[in-house]
């Protein structure tokens, strides 16, 4: 299923006058808009292949219909999103869930949809059929060297898959840890993990990055071997320049100040990228911006400030990816909402009056500093995000058009009602 | 110090054109604005007498200057706020910090500033000089009946003070609890507290309410005798119709869903009112809306829906009060920011399309339900709040005018640099 | 597989001298032991049928071997546990996972193992094949009356199953809630749930209890419709005397004081029973006592004190059940460890010098109160628990004997390596 | 007031038989005890000068009587503790609260009580009278260089004080941070702090250590500039070998795995020492071991394992200190309880069968690993701790003797009822 550009044009024509009014007003309020709109056009957020089907919890999974049955259909789904919002121009694959059978065909299909291959993800948290050793007691940390070797080899194979597709980064998320006191020697688990990571790192092409994700808990419930930003930082410092920390917004203890972590990792040149989602209790994997939109803005505020301070390219120098799971929403609608929320937060962060903020900070004018940030946050920037879509041929209202075109019904008609996406 | 209405007019004249542009645009976006503006004009948030000076933590206190040295000066400070925003038309007193010497004079002074006396607050968490029994081990819960009697008598005296001033509610916040396992028999502590509350309740005038506040922890660090909404609810159910639960936003365990609590207390006709503030870690007592503005909106969303469902008057049927502490901001600027944030959240909640939301809920259309709420939240309603101020003779930009008039310098000139507000 | 009593005797003979030494010493320290040993003999903890296989997380499941393939084999497994510890004399079934085909045969099998049927558990958090309506958006709370009716009918059917087996209680755990703001009208969800519960309650036999479990989060991640003890309490108060609150130790927000909740529910005659487990981050479902053994003791301290104050029978008047999930331990070993930890906590609580504690509390002697509790907790009571087993024909060291007899290997030989327990 | 050794002997004589029985039994259970007892004798825990008076919260402070009025009386108090338990042979001073007037006299007084001077603590979280610049907006992080210089100079002065007394370490705890988003540029705050720390580090004598404490929150409630172990680690790595991280048990986000942090810091040679206390909600500063004794044991389990792996001396190579605050206990009784709990946890950790644990870990035998740890924890080691006291001339039951001798009454008689300790 492909969304015809005529349909987008028709959709936009209906909304254009209302949109133009908003944009004119906004321009009158904030002055220059061109620079922001261009940055929004350039900003692309990768879609993980596993977010295209209905995720679930350990208690159950309530599948929708028309879920992608193959890598080809996953690419098609991301293509639909990108056609609607022109901000989802990349897909992030999970190996072994998404191993292509024909690389050229897959690359050609992605190119048709204007999609790149973002970071490839290894999986050593589940046992695959016919796998020699089990990861029940960890992978890169395992006390058994043979298990570690198997896990290292898998990661190296994932790099090979990524090279074949044109990816330039490997994301390593480890479920490794322990569920009971005494189970692990923390120091040896760390050292085994470091040794394994060094072997993987050695297999990275020179233009690649290794993103080491941290997570406070789950699926292990006593300790995790890469549990917080400090632990990830201590590993990537030892590994080398190509190793960076990846921040998943849902992987923190309650009340953690994530934006400060982001700022410090940027300062140390050790921030690699993001997994966006939102959460209230743990790694809830909810739609980005659905619960804590101000936190999302504050994170982008640090990103814009910190990347600019280092002369970094917002669109290219960090990895931007969604990592969410959608048990009760249509996955494609959910992803459209996540992308929209991220773009809004980015636009608001671009609006912050940095010179005034620096002055307020230097004067310890806390009231004024709050006003400067909240002024940006309270500004309704949705027209800017819509304008970026309009200019690049996407829809003014992606969810609206998705519904008007009954895309889900079309997918069900093509793929069936009882399909279930491969992977999680 | 009094802010002359001419100064407000002059201030407004400068800003009126820009304001009018925003308002016109907003009206074109949301349709009708009159009803919302009128509700905003009617909505008043009480200022606690103890928030007018610099609060602090157990580690230190960094006083500003010009803090009010007397109840009269506290009333004057609230009068300044009310002149600036016309939304702070009440003061909430703390006994024994704020006992008037001349009731008629105090009432007359308050009337000059258009201020009412909101809930009176008792204090059994500190020992006062010359107090016979100590509250070291609790007040209404105390194992010693003489201590309980003293605490009950104090509360009854506070009611008398309130009657003399025209208050119509008593807020009871208890520090009672324990810091170590074994210290308390929880059941007996509950029963003693209930018995004490019954005696206080019996002394309430027929038109009064008793607000029973709950708090998860601090200053006791193992248990608190009115620790959560369920405990407060179980007391107020037993006490009678005049007893209600008071919700302080900072008094919950991490990740609590406060808006659900609000909805259920309203359903049970047991919600009494609010102490507004914001927090990240515990009872941080930060400026309302400074950290979690979306949560504040979601709470108001439940309030508007639930109060309308019961036919309640938004402005009058619940108690609205700030309870914050300002160690690093000018207290008056901080209160202006808190009131503004509350008014914005209220205005956004009034904007929610309730019919559409009900339809989305009935269709389990989660995506649409989120869009409806976030559409209201993302709308920039500041012009509505400003218009409410403009129509009632207050300032379009209260913090701006406060600074332009150098009010703090004026207060320092009058009161001195080293003053320290009475009370906390 | 059945453990021959001769094997237990042989095992005990080897350990008896060492055990006797410990017991003699302990008796010399604490004085009377008979009363405590008898209470420990009488105390039985129900085993949930779903804990006999390897549980898992949403990320994966690492099955062991020899898992029970049928209700009969589940009963056999609990029989093994009970033979080893004589403290697991009941099984709690989950419908529809454990529907018997022949009630008399099942009852007879259970009787052979000296097992009773504890609370039956309904399941409206998953969709079963051929189910007319989905629980994707809740069951008893659902906006669609037909879904609610189906869920009510299921619960009534579970009661029927329980009656046929001799159970006397129904445990209702609801996944109902919402994952996004706006999804639910909290008040209507409450009212629908209450109405549904009233219909279920009406179907309870006169000698039955309905246990209403609460849970702060998961699988819904924004709100839960029976989210905390206060909400459960408000429902069971409205339902009637047979309705009680069930406390699962893992279902609370961080830092909740569970022992206080237990004390207050007992005071209100609204405590129904327990699901024992341990956790660090959320509903981790780890082995009881594996992470917070002092908390477990403090809970039993309240139970003993509160039940004695009401003249309740420790063994019979509340429901005692384990609810854990064992991804990396042999499930049967894990259950033996959980039962042991619970018995130790109970024995320690029985040791508390209640008169001295009451005096310390009345004197606000916090130091002494702590010493009294910690004296009981620091006493090594394992010999008391072992003695209770010895006297009732069970093993002095259940895990040791389980391993010596290579029970798991026997089960694998009987049932195969790749079996997977039905249910979760 | 001094406790005569005759009184201790008399006390011990009464208890000796009961104690001997326990010790004999314990020796029969665990085999060798001499090695453990000797390690317990050698282990000393420093007492902070500010814990000798009644601490409090921001809500109030309920002073006891007989609190030390001077540095001399604080030393006398620690001398009392050390006489009673022979495990508190050091005092940790806080500058400027404890500046000596006569160094030789103070050193001589300490020597009389067999006390050493442990780490000295600087204070840049409060403003002192006559201080030129305020720390309202931070000290080492301050945007104003003059403030930073003042704070650096203060720390250097504290080092000088420490040198004069024979201390060999400086503990830097910074309240620096921010309470509102926007207030700070996190990166610049980090860089200012690092630069300031480098200046302080440069002033350290060669045999000194600098302990950099971290804290998640309070008194700043949005961000803290040394907020977690990872941030402290990143500073001390840059500073050099003499800089180490100090772990205060109460300074973590909810559910943090502190024992893993301890293990990793030891591995990195960056663990400096501890501030012991216990807590449920935040930095509650309760008696060590009063709420989470198993966590305290797990931390010591890592300490013993990790220090042995590095060949470190348990007693000397890390800094051991209590940091608690006692609003409702007699401070001296509280400190005796804290020291006892720490010694018990240390003794239990020494009991762990490390070879068996290593085997269990290498076999992924999680059940066995748990049993090994819990076997040590459930063993009643109090007689070992008592024996260590007995052998070194201290009391078998320190709290008991303290009460028998009515020490507090003696102190009140000497110092008065209304004294209030200097400092917090």
């Amino acid at each position: 299923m492909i969304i015809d550009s005529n349909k987008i044009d028709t959709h936009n024509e209906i909304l254009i006058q209302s949109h133009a009014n908003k944009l004119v007003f906004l321009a009158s309020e904030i002055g220059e808009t061109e620079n922001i709109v261009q940055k929004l056009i350039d900003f692309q957020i990768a879609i993980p292949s596993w977010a295209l089907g209905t995720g679930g919890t350990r208690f159950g999974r309530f599948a929708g219909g028309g879920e992608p049955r193959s890598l080809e259909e996953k690419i098609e789904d991301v293509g639909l999103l990108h056609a609607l919002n022109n901000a989802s121009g990349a897909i992030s694959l999970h190996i072994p869930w998404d191993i292509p059978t024909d690389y050229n065909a897959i690359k050609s299909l992605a190119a048709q949809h204007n999609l790149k291959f973002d970071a490839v993800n290894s999986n050593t948290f589940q046992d695959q059929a016919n796998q020699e050793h089990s990861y029940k007691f960890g992978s890169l940390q395992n006390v058994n060297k043979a298990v570690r070797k198997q896990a290292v080899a898998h990661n190296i194979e994932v790099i090979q898959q990524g090279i074949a597709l044109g990816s330039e980064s490997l994301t390593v998320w480890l479920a490794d840890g322990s569920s009971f006191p005494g189970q692990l020697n923390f120091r040896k688990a760390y050292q085994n993990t470091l040794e394994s990571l060094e072997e993987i790192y050695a297999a990275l092409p020179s233009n690649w990055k290794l993103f080491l994700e941290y997570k406070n808990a789950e699926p292990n419930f006593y300790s995790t071997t890469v549990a917080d930003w400090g632990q990830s930082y201590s590993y990537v410092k030892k590994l080398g320049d190509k190793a960076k920390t990846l921040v998943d917004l849902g992987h923190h203890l309650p009340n953690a100040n994530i934006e400060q972590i982001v700022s410090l990792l940027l300062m140390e040149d050790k921030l690699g990228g993001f997994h966006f989602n939102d959460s209230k209790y743990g790694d809830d994997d909810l739609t980005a911006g659905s619960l804590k939109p101000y936190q999302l803005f504050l994170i982008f505020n640090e990103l814009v400030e910190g990347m600019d301070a280092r002369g970094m390219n917002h669109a290219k120098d960090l990895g931007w990816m969604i990592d969410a799971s959608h048990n009760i929403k249509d996955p494609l609608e959910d992803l459209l909402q996540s992308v929209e929320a991220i773009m809004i937060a980015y636009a608001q962060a671009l609006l912050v009056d940095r010179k005034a903020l620096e002055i307020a900070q230097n004067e310890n004018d806390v009231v004024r500093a709050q006003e400067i940030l909240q002024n940006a946050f309270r500004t309704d920037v949705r027209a800017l995000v819509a304008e970026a879509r309009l200019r690049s041929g996407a829809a003014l209202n992606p969810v609206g058009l998705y519904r008007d075109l009954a895309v889900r019904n079309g997918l069900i008609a093509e793929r069936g009602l009882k399909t279930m996406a491969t992977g999680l």
Side-chain angles (χ1 to χ4, degrees), chain A:
Chain A
M1 188 172 185
I2 287 187
I3 295 179
D4 196 299
S5 67
N6 288 342
K7 288 180 178 158
I8 291 175
D9 293 345
T10 308
H11 164 86
N12 287 347
E13 278 163 27
I14 297 168
L15 300 175
I16 190 73
Q17 189 56 51
S18 164
H19 166 68
N21 290 344
K22 292 181 219 274
L23 194 67
V24 165
F25 171 72
L26 194 54
S28 76
E29 289 289 306
I30 63 176
E32 194 269 339
T33 61
E34 281 307 303
N35 184 33
I36 294 177
V37 169
Q38 189 55 52
K39 283 181 170 154
L40 293 170
I41 291 172
D42 295 341
F43 201 78
Q44 299 293 322
I45 300 151
I47 304 296
S49 67
W50 61 92
L52 301 162
T54 305
T57 71
R58 61 178 170 139
F59 291 101
R61 176 174 165 178
F62 299 95
E67 298 193 3
R69 295 162 298 179
S70 62
L71 178 52
E72 286 76 6
E73 291 185 355
K74 290 177 183 179
I75 290 171
E76 184 187 16
D77 274 11
V78 181
L80 286 168
L81 296 175
H82 195 47
L84 288 165
N85 67 16
N86 196 51
S88 310
I91 183 166
S92 183
L93 302 189
H94 210 290
I95 308 299
W97 300 337
D98 300 315
I99 298 179
T101 45
D102 178 338
Y103 291 90
N104 286 333
I106 285 293
K107 287 169 77 171
S108 162
L109 180 65
Q112 285 170 38
H113 291 286
N114 286 316
L115 303 180
K116 296 185 177 171
F117 289 95
D118 203 78
V120 281
N121 301 267
S122 59
N123 177 339
T124 61
F125 55 87
Q126 287 179 326
D127 288 348
Q128 307 301 325
N130 306 320
Q131 182 177 305
E132 188 172 356
H133 300 286
S134 171
Y135 298 130
K136 184 171 187 171
F137 298 104
S139 59
L140 301 189
Q141 76 169 15
N142 205 291
V143 291
N144 181 344
K145 177 138 194 165
V147 183
R148 300 201 298 273
K149 273 179 171 293
Q150 174 183 289
V152 168
H154 166 69
N155 274 278
I156 292 173
E157 189 212 323
V158 173
I159 294 171
Q160 300 308 320
Q161 302 277 357
I163 292 170
L165 290 167
S167 289
E168 296 184 349
S169 50
L170 169 70
T171 296
V172 177
W173 171 64
L174 297 172
D176 291 24
S178 67
S179 280
F180 294 97
Q183 179 183 342
L184 273 192
N185 180 304
F186 297 128
R187 184 180 66 253
K188 292 179 186 169
Y190 182 101
Q191 289 166 340
N192 283 336
T193 302
L194 178 61
E195 185 188 283
S196 302
L197 286 169
E198 285 169 342
E199 294 176 32
I200 296 164
Y201 187 86
L204 279 185
S206 62
N207 63 329
W208 273 54
K209 291 180 190 167
L210 184 156
F211 297 148
L212 183 61
E213 197 167 350
Y214 59 90
K215 186 175 185 184
N216 66 312
E218 195 205 23
N220 276 294
F221 292 122
Y222 171 59
S223 74
T224 302
T225 297
V226 189
D228 61 19
W229 83 269
Q231 291 176 36
S232 177
Y233 169 79
S234 77
Y235 285 107
V236 298
K237 279 294 271 187
K238 296 183 181 95
L239 289 172
D241 287 348
K242 290 182 286 185
K244 310 280 181 185
T245 294
L246 187 137
V247 177
D248 181 305
L249 300 189
H251 290 192
H252 300 81
L253 290 171
N255 307 334
N257 186 325
I258 302 174
E259 50 270 32
Q260 186 185 16
I261 292 170
V262 166
S263 169
L264 297 184
L265 283 169
L266 264 178
M267 177 190 77
E268 300 273 6
D269 198 17
K270 280 302 182 191
L271 183 64
F274 277 82
H275 278 184
F276 291 111
N277 50 51
D278 212 337
S279 58
K280 189 169 178 64
Y281 303 100
D283 186 32
D284 306 340
D285 278 335
L286 302 178
T287 319
S290 63
L291 280 166
K292 300 172 187 162
Y294 194 51
Q295 184 193 59
L296 189 60
F297 160 74
L298 292 174
I299 290 168
F300 268 97
N301 180 50
E302 294 305 325
L303 285 166
V304 167
E305 196 277 341
M307 293 182 82
D308 286 351
R310 300 185 71 82
M312 294 169 76
N313 180 318
H314 295 184
K316 295 187 178 166
D317 289 349
L318 291 178
W320 310 110
M321 196 168 85
I322 289 170
D323 182 7
S325 176
H326 325 89
N327 211 29
I328 53 169
K329 286 179 175 174
D330 177 321
L332 295 180
E333 293 189 357
D334 188 290
L335 288 161
L336 291 172
Q337 288 189 312
S338 277
V339 171
E340 175 85 1
I342 294 164
M343 298 301 274
I344 287 172
Y346 177 42
Q348 290 165 332
L350 291 170
L351 267 190
V352 170
D353 185 339
R354 306 240 154 249
K355 283 189 188 162
L357 183 60
E358 191 176 355
I359 292 168
Q361 289 170 342
N362 285 334
E363 295 175 348
N364 290 309
D365 188 344
V366 184
V367 166
R368 184 82 192 107
Q370 176 175 317
E371 295 222 327
I372 291 165
L373 287 192
Q374 295 210 334
N375 181 50
F377 179 70
R378 287 169 177 166
T379 300
D380 188 346
V381 299
R382 288 176 292 176
L384 292 176
V385 177
E387 179 69 11
R389 282 195 295 270
L390 182 70
R391 297 228 194 141
S392 53
L396 279 169
N397 180 349
V399 170
L401 181 55
Y402 178 88
R403 290 192 164 197
D404 287 347
L405 297 178
V407 174
R408 179 57 58 188
N409 286 344
L411 294 173
I412 291 173
E414 278 179 29
R415 302 170 182 174
L417 190 59
K418 296 279 184 182
T419 61
M420 194 167 271
T422 46
L424 257 195

